[in-house]
Amino acid sequence: MQVAVCGPAEATPEELAAARRVGELLAARGVTVLCGGGGGVMAAVAAGTRDRAGLVIGVRPDDGSAPGPVELSASVVTNMGQARNAILVWSADAVIAVGGSWGTLSEVALAMRRGGIPVVVLGGWRVVDADGVPVAGPAHAATPEDAVRLALGDPPGSARPGPVVP
């Protein structure tokens, strides 16, 4: 299983801590983590994943001439700018967005338009209609543990989310 973790390059300390924890939890489950291959949330999730000996792949928007986070296990160089968000989302079995930026919102929107996969937001965007009513869409998580549980489809209240994925 592959889970994309998206989030802003310019992140708050709380977002960085949450992303790192999400990476740790996913790695403990044997999940391959995909990220945008940059700084901020992307580097934090990569660090958390690698801390637990997990596999993390950066899907980079650039030509690869500048180094990515050292925590990446591997990089996919797209040289497609923000269009790489579509590649990231289509390569994932679930998407977790930590925090919010315009790029993160585009990843959430692409994942929702794709359909058929869990899309989870942790501390990020909430979309409302013209009357301020929340629009049906991604699941919202309160903690990194909830985000991983929702992304992997574990039942509510499970102490340790489901079986380990090979």
Side-chain angles (χ1 to χ4, degrees), residues 40-113:
V41 163
M42 298 167 279
V45 75
T49 302
R50 294 291 288 198
D51 280 353
R52 297 295 188 267
L55 178 65
V56 59
I57 299 169
V59 181
R60 297 184 51 183
D62 56 13
D63 65 4
S65 59
V70 297
E71 294 87 358
L72 293 175
S73 303
S75 293
V76 175
V77 175
T78 67
N79 203 28
M80 296 179 67
Q82 293 301 306
R84 73 84 155 80
N85 293 354
I87 294 168
L88 180 64
V89 166
W90 275 95
S91 298
D93 300 305
V95 174
I96 298 173
V98 179
S101 67
W102 290 114
T104 307
L105 181 59
S106 77
E107 290 161 324
V108 169
L110 287 166
M112 291 304 301
R113 291 288 302 196

Side-chain angles (χ1 to χ4, degrees), residues 123-154:
W125 294 94
R126 290 188 182 268
V127 181
V128 297
D129 67 15
D131 296 320
V133 177
V135 174
H140 289 272
T143 66
E145 290 77 10
D146 284 342
V148 170
R149 179 184 59 75
L150 290 165
L152 299 183
D154 295 325

